[in-house]
Amino acid sequence: MPTTIFSAFTSNFLGKAPVWYKQIILLFLIVNPIVMYLLGPVSAGWLLIAEFIFTLAMALKCYPLLPGGLLAIEALLIGLTTPDAVYLEVLTNFPVILLLMFMVAGIYFMQDLLLVAFTQILVGVHSKSALSLLFCIAAALLSAFLDALTVTAVIISVAVGFFSVYHKVASGKGYQSSDHNSDSDDEVIELHRNDLENFRAFLRSLLMHGAIGTALGGVATMVGEPQNLLIAKVVGWDFIGFFLHMAPVSMPVLAAGLVTCWVLEKMRWFGYGGRLPKSVRRVLEEFADNERAKRTKADQAALWVQACAAVILVVGLALHLAEVGLIGLLVIILITSFTGVTSEHQIGKAFQESLPFTSLLVVFFAVVAVIHEQHLFKPVIDHVLSLPEGQQPGMFFIANGLLSMISDNVFVATVYISEIKQALDAGSISYEHFQSLAVAINTGTNLPSVATPNGQAAFLFLLTSAIAPLVRLSYGRMVVMAFPYTVVMGGVGLYMVMYHI
């Protein structure tokens, strides 16, 4: 408890983040103006990028919006960019902001339908290899038409629900018990401990297969990941055009990813292959049957409304009937109107997941404005563009992939696509070559970025979710489990980019 006003300020600064982390952020804020004065704006700009990547890599210590936002504000104050330049970046990327605001919220109201689907898969399929493959395919398909963050949220909801059910039973209580703490194993009966650990391993592998599935499907369409829409808008692709341009890379990678999923489960490598104990399956089947029996006619009608809204969503996206975010708003209006969700408080919950990330994206755009104002990436882009034209897509794929592993793929894609757009506007490259480089940037940011949790928003969301500590899914374990997928998806993606686009 702070005893003085000064100690209260220091305690409140960045909340529960470690003291060493707070000191580093303060050091950044002190050093930046000095570097700006002594070495100039280019050096200060590169230092700012390194600092911002650090905040992304340390996302588990503190949500990057706060330290990243402080760095962005300081960049404005010391003259690395201007408010007008930041506003222009935000305005250019407004369709992406609409996507995050309304599409993610729209899918929130379809969670009941998605939960029913994933629950049926989980309790209805007995083969772990087939179940993992189905989870991966379902996540890929849903992410292609919906949004990777929301699909991950649904998978997490299913896993949390089932883990909580069995944890109650393992603790000697009925699954209907409302007074139970799933975070602690203190009350778990010794007889059930081994089954509980096996269940944790089972859920860990399913969660990772599902998260990888969101990346496999998310790369293929303009709504799968936030940066996809950004790239599509810059290049001028619609939904079908984006899919067709990505297909030479995304489809072989999808096939390779699904084969990898099957092999990992069969060989039980890298922490995969955990089986569902029979005692746990019996409990989950009984729970699913009980939930089905409790479903009222109103609940069934709500599921039908959500299914119809899903069809409208897919048709609207495929035919590009309106801006993607506006189609998301349409889904919100239809589902809430016909399922009786009329309270502002109820509707507000749908936006809780998307708005923090939307705010962080605006901070991304402030850093991108610094890069543009100071022409920081121009030497790198010029070097790659000086290579023979046939080598350029592969080099862009590698550069985007490596940066996405350590920072964030939305940030990396935003920077690179805007830089090559400037090269196009300057007449340095043709529009056909510009499209090839856009494919390399999109696939480069989407595929190798599965290597680390901070590379993909869906992975970071999984790591910081309620299920991660319950099933002992740490940062290190996620990196190990993602490694075989990183090698396969990155390798196949690079080969296809180099030789088939």
Side-chain angles (χ1 to χ4, degrees), residues 244-286:
L244 292 176
H245 278 91
M246 294 301 155
V249 182
S250 62
M251 292 300 102
V253 169
L254 174 61
L258 295 178
V259 170
T260 304
C261 172
W262 183 269
V263 170
L264 288 173
E265 282 299 324
K266 286 297 183 183
M267 304 305 293
R268 304 193 183 192
W269 290 339
F270 295 95
Y272 292 99
R275 292 333 192 224
L276 182 63
K278 291 182 179 179
S279 60
V280 181
R281 177 176 291 280
R282 282 195 298 270
V283 171
L284 298 184
E285 287 174 345
E286 183 183 338

Side-chain angles (χ1 to χ4, degrees), residues 128 195-207 265 271-275 471 477 481:
K128 177 63 190 307
D195 282 346
L196 183 62
E197 289 306 314
N198 290 335
F199 188 35
R200 282 189 168 114
F202 171 84
L203 287 177
R204 276 197 304 270
S205 60
L206 276 189
L207 286 165
E265 282 299 324
Y272 292 99
R275 292 333 192 224
V471 299
R477 184 167 265 163
M481 295 182 78

